[in-house]
Amino acid sequence: MDLITRHSFLHQLLLFSLISLSYVSGTQFSFPRLGALRRTIRSKPQTGSISSVSEDFETLFYNQTLDHFNYKPESFTIFPQRYIIDSKQWGGPNTISPILVYFGAEESLDYDLFGIGFLRDNAPRFKALQHRFYGKSVPFGSREAALRNASVRGYFTSAQAIADYAAIIIHIKKTFSAKNSPVIVIGGSYGGMLAAWFRLKYPHVALGALASSAPILYFDGLAPQVGYYAIVTKDFKETSERCYETIRKSWDEIDKIASKFNGLSILSKMFKTCKKLKRSFDLKDYLDSVYSEVAQYDCPPTYPLNIVCRGIDGAPKRTDILGRIFAGVVAYMGNKSCYDMEEFNHPTDETYMSWKWQIFRILVGLGSCFLTCSEMVMPIGHEHSASMFPPSPFNLNKFIRKCKSLFGVQPRPHWVTTYYGGHDLKLILHRFASNIIFSNGLRDPYSSGGVLENISDSVVAVYTVNGSHCLDLLPEMKTDPPWLIKQRKTEVRIIASWISKYYTDLIVFRDRT
């Protein structure tokens, strides 16, 4: 079994990525985004790095079926689905060299090629495939036309997406004469949920899954609605009690000034907003987004949460509360001529309509809810007790009314737990699942909806106390702390053990036939 030695595992792989969501927010407010990469990383890619990686890729298109689950005439409509291949470091056809498949989340293809390091670090190169309704993989020509059509919109679901993945993985294995090559699927955040669900739904296609920072319990009451912001609060409080207290007191100060004559103009001047504030909520929402982002993506070596708190705590002694808050904004966002309160909400031309359909979110008061008007309902709210945020419970009825007004659809808050596993999900994983790694960092707010305990011998939780969102998938760096290095090595060792057992089983069953 020398093929599963570390050298072979690292260098004889066929890899390709399934790129899913390019992030944009809902129509009005920001919310805790699901994505493997921090927003500011996406906005400032290292062009040279992307170019040097992408030179080795071959872009192809697969004739994908529009509807995998029905036999209506329109179900057989074909659309071109893009995938990108680099097989230069693979062991070759008619071998049993492993295949790694990356399921992307809310980043475009180029950003994942640059920002996701786990596959590159464990094999020199990897491949990519585009999620339906994104990039160049859009049925019926343009995205706008496809999403304007209510019937076509209905094919934009996670179930259809992972069926796409199954079809293309099988196609690629056939194309590369790789019938007996084991497949490992890998994803972070939303992509991590897809990876875990894929292993459950298509165990004959994927040998195993690495699901990084995948909040699969954040549905249908499986995880507390306040879990996300409880961890954000905990992260800030552990970093600096003074910083935490300043933020906690700032909301009332914002309301107090806003209630004064010309108060919004005063706030606009204090925070150097690019446009005059029309309501104090827009400033609160902007600050909420900053605090959520730095907690979720508090990655070494920069640790952005520390940067914010150093700005707040390091303001001159006589600086008032809101002056200290603004100092934290400047420390993190940089010294700008003005600050765009919509910075976290700007849609992109490429993905706005798609994301608006698949991931629609409302805020009740200041609380965020990550929700979809189609199939997924992930409520996120604020609690009041011991929180640095003002109270803001999630309101399902209000959300349903909003979805109906926008799309004319009734959300299905129980569908994800019906289709992928419900309130007894851990028991389901214990009985029916195998070969899944749920990796988390406990400083990641989304770990509140993650699997944090071993379910069985092969459905395991690998977590770090100090880790943040999808940190294990980022490129290896010399500055990586020992606990992060250990986490990645543990994941590689577990995956290698799956492959080793697969090779043993392959020999046994070959001898029997």
Side-chain angles (χ1 to χ4, degrees):
M1 291 302 128
D2 59 338
L3 281 177
I4 56 88
T5 63
R6 179 169 177 81
H7 175 81
S8 177
F9 180 70
L10 299 186
H11 298 291
Q12 297 192 41
L13 301 176
L14 171 66
L15 305 100
F16 60 97
S17 307
L18 307 181
I19 304 303
S20 56
L21 304 178
S22 295
Y23 169 76
V24 294
S25 73
T27 57
Q28 193 170 10
F29 303 103
S30 63
F31 71 105
R33 58 179 299 274
L34 272 171
L37 301 179
R38 184 157 54 100
R39 176 190 57 88
T40 48
I41 290 177
R42 293 189 310 113
S43 63
K44 299 177 181 179
Q46 295 179 7
T47 306
S49 298
I50 291 176
S51 299
S52 62
V53 171
S54 60
E55 287 175 357
D56 294 324
F57 294 143
E58 179 183 5
T59 298
L60 302 168
F61 288 87
Y62 176 74
N63 289 329
Q64 189 60 265
T65 303
L66 178 64
D67 184 0
H68 297 284
F69 305 109
N70 285 288
Y71 292 88
K72 300 176 183 178
E74 61 268 25
S75 298
F76 295 92
T77 301
I78 299 298
F79 70 94
Q81 189 160 23
R82 184 177 64 154
Y83 63 101
I84 298 174
I85 290 188
D86 172 15
S87 58
K88 292 181 179 179
Q89 300 299 321
W90 187 48
N94 300 313
T95 70
I96 52 176
S97 300
I99 301 172
L100 299 190
V101 181
Y102 176 69
F103 290 2
E106 298 175 27
E107 286 73 41
S108 71
L109 173 60
D110 283 346
Y111 292 110
D112 272 355
L113 294 180
F114 154 68
I116 299 299
F118 186 89
L119 287 91
R120 284 203 314 277
D121 294 336
N122 290 292
R125 290 163 180 79
F126 61 99
K127 308 181 187 136
L129 181 150
Q130 195 79 44
H131 187 295
R132 60 169 51 198
F133 284 78
Y134 290 104
K136 298 180 180 179
S137 301
V138 182
F140 302 107
S142 74
R143 181 178 302 98
E144 291 75 13
L147 291 173
R148 203 176 293 124
N149 185 319
S151 297
V152 175
R153 242 183 1 234
Y155 300 115
F156 191 11
T157 67
S158 62
Q160 295 282 3
I162 63 175
D164 289 345
Y165 300 164
I168 295 181
I169 290 171
I170 291 171
H171 166 75
I172 290 177
K173 290 186 72 173
K174 182 178 180 180
T175 301
F176 280 81
S177 300
K179 176 183 177 181
N180 292 320
S181 292
V183 172
I184 305 296
V185 295
I186 297 169
S189 201
Y190 169 64
M193 290 191 283
L194 292 178
W197 292 336
F198 190 89
R199 171 61 185 166
L200 284 171
K201 292 295 185 180
Y202 298 94
H204 56 291
V205 178
L207 172 67
L210 168 58
S212 176
S213 298
I216 63 168
L217 300 180
Y218 228 128
F219 295 98
D220 209 6
L222 298 182
Q225 295 179 6
V226 300
Y228 183 97
Y229 280 99
I231 293 181
V232 175
T233 295
K234 179 175 176 288
D235 290 346
F236 272 87
K237 196 170 186 178
E238 289 178 348
T239 299
S240 167
E241 185 85 24
R242 183 183 175 190
C243 178
Y244 153 80
E245 285 291 346
T246 301
I247 295 171
R248 188 178 65 83
K249 295 174 181 178
S250 67
W251 313 109
D252 287 341
E253 287 296 312
I254 291 173
D255 289 337
K256 181 179 177 181
I257 293 178
S259 66
K260 296 180 179 179
F261 174 76
N262 213 26
L264 292 178
S265 294
I266 296 172
L267 288 172
S268 296
K269 185 176 181 180
M270 291 179 65
F271 284 87
K272 295 172 63 176
T273 62
C274 295
K275 296 180 180 179
K276 181 181 176 181
L277 291 169
K278 295 182 178 179
R279 53 181 184 168
S280 61
F281 174 79
D282 294 334
L283 173 59
K284 291 180 180 179
D285 183 56
Y286 176 81
L287 295 172
D288 178 278
S289 297
V290 170
Y291 303 146
S292 298
E293 180 170 276
V294 299
Q296 184 169 322
Y297 300 98
D298 194 33
C299 303
T302 56
Y303 293 105
L305 195 155
N306 284 342
I307 292 173
V308 170
C309 280
R310 281 199 301 266
I312 291 174
D313 295 342
K317 287 185 178 180
R318 296 184 181 276
T319 306
D320 62 16
I321 288 177
L322 295 189
R324 295 200 294 271
I325 294 295
F326 180 61
V329 170
V330 173
Y332 178 59
M333 302 299 291
N335 192 358
K336 302 180 180 181
S337 59
C338 70
Y339 295 86
D340 182 4
M341 296 295 101
E342 293 295 317
E343 182 166 349
F344 292 87
N345 299 329
H346 281 163
T348 66
D349 293 337
E350 180 183 359
T351 59
Y352 176 54
M353 292 184 68
S354 298
W355 184 252
K356 182 179 177 182
W357 161 251
Q358 193 178 19
I359 308 292
F360 170 74
R361 172 275 310 125
I362 60 172
L363 270 76
V364 184
L366 195 63
S368 301
C369 309
F370 174 77
L371 303 158
T372 72
C373 283
S374 53
E375 58 179 345
M376 293 190 292
V377 178
M378 292 180 65
I380 298 177
H382 292 168
E383 63 177 339
H384 181 63
S385 176
S387 174
M388 72 178 194
F389 298 94
S392 182
F394 165 61
N395 188 318
L396 179 61
N397 291 330
K398 190 171 183 178
F399 164 67
I400 290 173
R401 290 195 299 270
K402 192 68 175 179
C403 284
K404 284 183 176 179
S405 68
L406 283 174
F407 296 110
V409 298
Q410 174 86 24
R412 303 172 71 183
H414 309 298
W415 178 244
V416 163
T417 53
T418 299
Y419 190 70
Y420 295 113
H423 289 267
D424 54 352
L425 180 59
K426 292 182 179 179
L427 180 60
I428 290 171
L429 292 172
H430 177 77
R431 286 178 171 173
F432 304 112
S434 62
N435 293 2
I436 302 176
I437 300 171
F438 290 102
S439 66
N440 282 278
L442 299 189
R443 286 178 66 84
D444 172 19
Y446 273 120
S447 67
S448 58
V451 176
L452 302 177
E453 59 183 346
N454 291 344
I455 303 299
S456 67
D457 290 342
S458 66
V459 179
V460 297
V462 178
Y463 65 84
T464 57
V465 173
N466 296 316
S468 56
H469 199 63
C470 297
L471 186 56
D472 55 327
L473 298 187
L474 300 188
E476 293 178 1
M477 301 177 65
K478 293 181 180 180
T479 55
D480 286 340
W483 48 264
L484 176 56
I485 296 171
K486 181 180 179 181
Q487 180 184 23
R488 291 190 182 119
K489 287 183 176 180
T490 298
E491 293 164 4
V492 169
R493 176 179 53 79
I494 293 171
I495 292 172
S497 71
W498 298 340
I499 295 172
S500 177
K501 187 177 186 304
Y502 170 85
Y503 290 154
T504 301
D505 292 342
L506 195 62
I507 293 173
V508 169
F509 282 91
R510 273 179 174 173
D511 291 342
R512 291 180 181 178
T513 57

